[in-house]
Amino acid sequence: MRHIIVGGSIAGLSAAKKIKEINPEDEVIVISDEREKPYAKMSLPYLLSGELTMENFYLSIPSGVKILLNKKVVKIDPNKRSVITDSNEEFSYDKLLIASGAHPHIPEIPGSTLPSVFSVRNLEDIERIKNRIKEAKEKRAILSGAGLVNMEIGDALFKIGIPVTYVVHSNRLLSQIIDGEASKIVEKRLSKRGIEILKGENIEEVEEKNGITYATLESGKVLKGSCVIFGKGVRANIDFLKGTKIKTNRGIIVNEHLETNARDIYAAGDVVESKDIVYGDMRMHALWPVAVEQGKIAGANMAGMKLIYPGDVSRNILTVFGMTIFTGGLSREDKFDIYRKFENGEYRKIILKDGKLKGFIFIGEVNNPGVYIHIMKNEIEVERFKSSLLHGTVSYSDLHLLG
């Protein structure tokens, strides 16, 4: 049996490994549009800062799996059971996995296609940003958006001595994952480090003159720097599915087995809309551990099993500008039972409903982050441990007491 996997992501590699574990004789081919062998995209900011070297950057390829690089899939034909690349190569399949991931969005504004305008999607982007900063007369980097990616990129640039300006349309930083109180703390930390933050602004135009990049804002203010980096959300790589019967929304729609509505075609990773246990709806979870789990389950099902994907919860953990930020579930909400704690510049918030953890924000250290995810995913009643939950000290041993 031949399995084709579109995308050299961790979801695709996890699926490939699982298929080979179950059916070693099956043929598994991974088709990637990258020129480089598979690597961890979540590590790109650490390459920029120099905290990670290329030796530790690449992912291991499962034994017996064939990787085809620099080949972009542009069409899927479910009737012929084949995929077609941009070089007009056609590959037939018995089972197909779509693990094509997502890409950052750059708004279509004047100057958005200039060489000094970037998003952070792949290794080439990091190399281009490094070169641009090195060659530019003005070193400052202008970051449009203050979400997860740009927070990590800004931190990486700060570590190598590059001044940073954040241009934020909303009234707070990390607005998709933290509330107003948490954002005030984050903003204060950044300001102390000399990070410029311009809220309620958007970049309307980008120009290049004499080696300097100019960004004109809605207010008319003009910033100058080496480059503009957009980090304003991602979009699933699903354009090549147009004209097929495969159902999509923001991402690919799958059933509990991670199979699409097209027989023998599965999907996993950042390209998928899957069940969110806390919200109770279908959402995109662009998270490394989610991609790994989905890949394993999709791969097992492609190999003939009937595993059910139980869904997951939204969460993020990052360490930037000297602080650790850990969020999950209904983190931004102020409903149900809210408990907060401010102490020594740190912020802690948990949200309970009927004694069950539905969301949290921690700015500061948490002893066992995995416990919080375990509690939410399994909808464990934790009313009696709410003090430990709020202090960030709850442990797996505490959960055993519930038994």
Side-chain angles (χ1 to χ4, degrees), residues 203-215:
I203 296 177
E204 289 198 331
E205 183 176 2
V206 181
E207 296 178 281
E208 285 183 15
K209 296 177 183 177
N210 301 319
I212 298 176
T213 301
Y214 295 88

Side-chain angles (χ1 to χ4, degrees), residues 94-363:
D94 295 299
K95 300 287 179 71
L96 173 67
L97 175 69
I98 302 170
S100 49
H103 64 276
H105 172 62
I106 296 181
E108 295 182 2
I109 59 173
S112 63
T113 59
L114 289 171
S116 60
V117 176
F118 304 97
S119 61
V120 178
R121 179 186 181 188
N122 54 36
L123 181 59
E124 185 179 352
D125 293 326
I126 296 299
E127 295 303 321
R128 290 170 58 221
I129 290 171
K130 283 183 177 180
N131 291 335
R132 178 65 189 181
I133 291 171
K134 182 179 179 180
E135 296 168 359
K137 296 179 180 178
E138 182 75 32
K139 299 302 181 183
R140 178 173 294 273
I142 303 163
L143 276 61
S144 177
L148 290 162
V149 172
N150 263 4
M151 269 293 163
E152 292 190 317
I153 292 297
D155 177 65
L157 291 168
F158 178 76
K159 286 174 178 174
I160 58 175
I162 303 301
V164 172
T165 294
Y166 281 102
V167 179
V168 187
H169 179 63
S170 67
N171 63 352
R172 66 178 191 265
L173 308 177
L174 291 169
S175 60
Q176 296 301 304
I177 63 169
I178 62 176
D179 61 15
E181 296 296 333
S183 184
K184 290 176 185 176
I185 294 173
V186 173
E187 185 174 341
K188 186 175 180 180
R189 293 278 188 95
L190 267 64
S191 295
K192 280 186 175 181
R193 285 162 171 76
I195 306 298
E196 184 179 23
I197 303 166
L198 303 176
K199 295 182 291 185
E201 287 275 23
N202 255 337
I203 296 177
E204 289 198 331
E205 183 176 2
V206 181
E207 296 178 281
E208 285 183 15
K209 296 177 183 177
N210 301 319
I212 298 176
T213 301
Y214 295 88
T216 303
L217 310 186
E218 285 180 340
S219 64
K221 182 180 178 70
V222 178
L223 305 177
K224 63 179 182 177
S226 60
C227 60
V228 173
I229 303 173
F230 281 94
K232 300 175 75 66
V234 298
R235 296 181 177 181
N237 293 324
I238 55 177
D239 287 349
F240 65 99
L241 300 180
K242 290 177 181 178
T244 72
K245 63 180 180 180
I246 297 173
K247 291 183 178 179
T248 62
N249 188 26
R250 290 183 61 213
I252 298 174
I253 299 171
V254 293
N255 63 18
E256 61 184 3
H257 302 294
L258 296 176
E259 188 174 16
T260 71
N261 63 299
R263 184 176 175 82
D264 294 329
I265 299 180
Y266 297 77
D270 295 0
V271 75
V272 164
E273 285 190 23
S274 57
K275 177 185 174 183
D276 188 286
I277 295 169
V278 171
Y279 284 93
D281 58 11
M282 304 294 283
R283 292 181 176 240
M284 297 180 70
H285 296 97
L287 300 165
W288 180 273
V290 173
V292 171
E293 183 180 7
Q294 288 182 353
K296 288 178 179 178
I297 291 176
N301 291 336
M302 292 167 72
M305 302 185 74
K306 277 293 182 182
L307 301 186
I308 291 176
Y309 176 62
D312 220 299
V313 295
S314 299
R315 77 276 194 174
N316 291 281
I317 187 166
L318 66 159
T319 300
V320 291
F321 301 105
M323 60 186 159
T324 298
I325 303 170
F326 179 40
T327 72
L330 307 174
S331 53
R332 297 177 298 164
E333 303 289 346
D334 279 328
K335 60 183 180 181
F336 307 129
D337 300 320
I338 310 292
Y339 303 91
R340 287 186 173 93
K341 183 177 179 62
F342 298 86
E343 187 177 52
N344 299 323
E346 296 187 346
Y347 177 67
R348 304 173 185 277
K349 170 187 176 181
I350 60 172
I351 303 170
L352 302 184
K353 180 184 180 185
D354 300 326
K356 296 178 181 179
L357 184 64
K358 296 297 181 180
F360 57 83
I361 300 173
F362 290 97
I363 298 179

